[in-house]
Amino acid sequence: MTEPIDTTTLVERLQSVQSQLKAPKGQKNKFGNYNYRSAEDILEALKPLLASNGLALIIADDIVEIAGRVYVKASASVIDAYGAQIGSNGFAREAETKKGMDDAQITGSASSYARKYALNGLFAIDDTKDADSTNTHGKDKTSKPQQNETVNALDGLI
């Protein structure tokens, strides 16, 4: 007996995952006193939904230099059994220095941040009300968050 052919498109499966995904903000930033979700939180919520929809997730990082600054470009893609795929990118600028971190930790931190925003884009996770995207960490209230700085720095360059 042959298996029936699944005629559900990749877009339909992705929409199903997007509509079912619940990725609560389970982390707490004690310094800024806000809740946030990490890339790991998103992945934990995603894995069963991807499996039940016959999808796999591929995440990869590239290091790119743009206008003399180093960015981590994270790519997140879902792929089905037929090879069809849809993806999204996220960028985070590496800090030149960060107190208490060595170079590898700085890159890892930027990678986690970029991956989170690539996943947000792919799975329609709205972080516009997320304090992580608006928190100034005690700095001048007119300074822009890292995500917006990244987008502005990349306008017209990619």
Side-chain angles (χ1 to χ4, degrees):
M1 186 167 142
T2 62
E3 293 286 323
I5 296 174
D6 186 351
T7 59
T8 308
T9 68
L10 177 59
V11 170
E12 290 169 328
R13 291 177 190 192
L14 179 56
Q15 287 174 329
S16 176
V17 171
Q18 289 173 340
S19 68
Q20 295 175 61
L21 179 61
K22 303 288 185 252
K25 296 177 183 177
Q27 308 293 323
K28 178 78 171 182
N29 180 302
K30 293 178 184 173
F31 176 74
N33 196 29
Y34 60 87
N35 295 326
Y36 66 97
R37 72 179 62 85
S38 66
E40 293 81 10
D41 295 331
I42 296 168
L43 291 172
E44 184 178 340
L46 270 174
K47 287 177 182 181
L49 298 174
L50 292 168
S52 67
N53 282 279
L55 299 173
L57 176 65
I58 300 168
I59 303 174
D61 290 340
D62 286 315
I63 304 298
V64 295
E65 184 181 339
I66 301 169
R69 295 297 308 257
V70 177
Y71 291 81
V72 176
K73 175 185 175 185
S75 302
S77 300
V78 290
I79 187 167
D80 68 12
Y82 305 105
Q85 65 181 6
I86 298 174
S88 179
N89 297 318
F91 291 84
R93 188 175 73 202
E94 283 193 345
E96 290 181 20
T97 62
K98 189 152 183 161
K99 186 176 178 179
M101 287 188 173
D102 65 23
D103 290 347
Q105 290 170 317
I106 291 170
T107 300
S109 175
S111 170
S112 293
Y113 200 85
R115 286 174 174 219
K116 175 181 165 179
Y117 283 97
L119 291 166
N120 285 354
L122 183 58
F123 295 104
I125 301 170
D126 186 3
D127 265 357
T128 56
K129 294 182 182 178
D130 186 354
D132 187 33
S133 67
T134 59
N135 186 18
T136 62
H137 295 286
K139 297 177 186 170
D140 179 11
K141 291 185 180 184
T142 61
S143 67
K144 296 177 184 176
Q146 183 177 5
Q147 180 189 14
N148 291 340
E149 289 175 7
T150 300
V151 171
N152 292 339
L154 300 176
D155 283 347
L157 297 175
I158 300 177

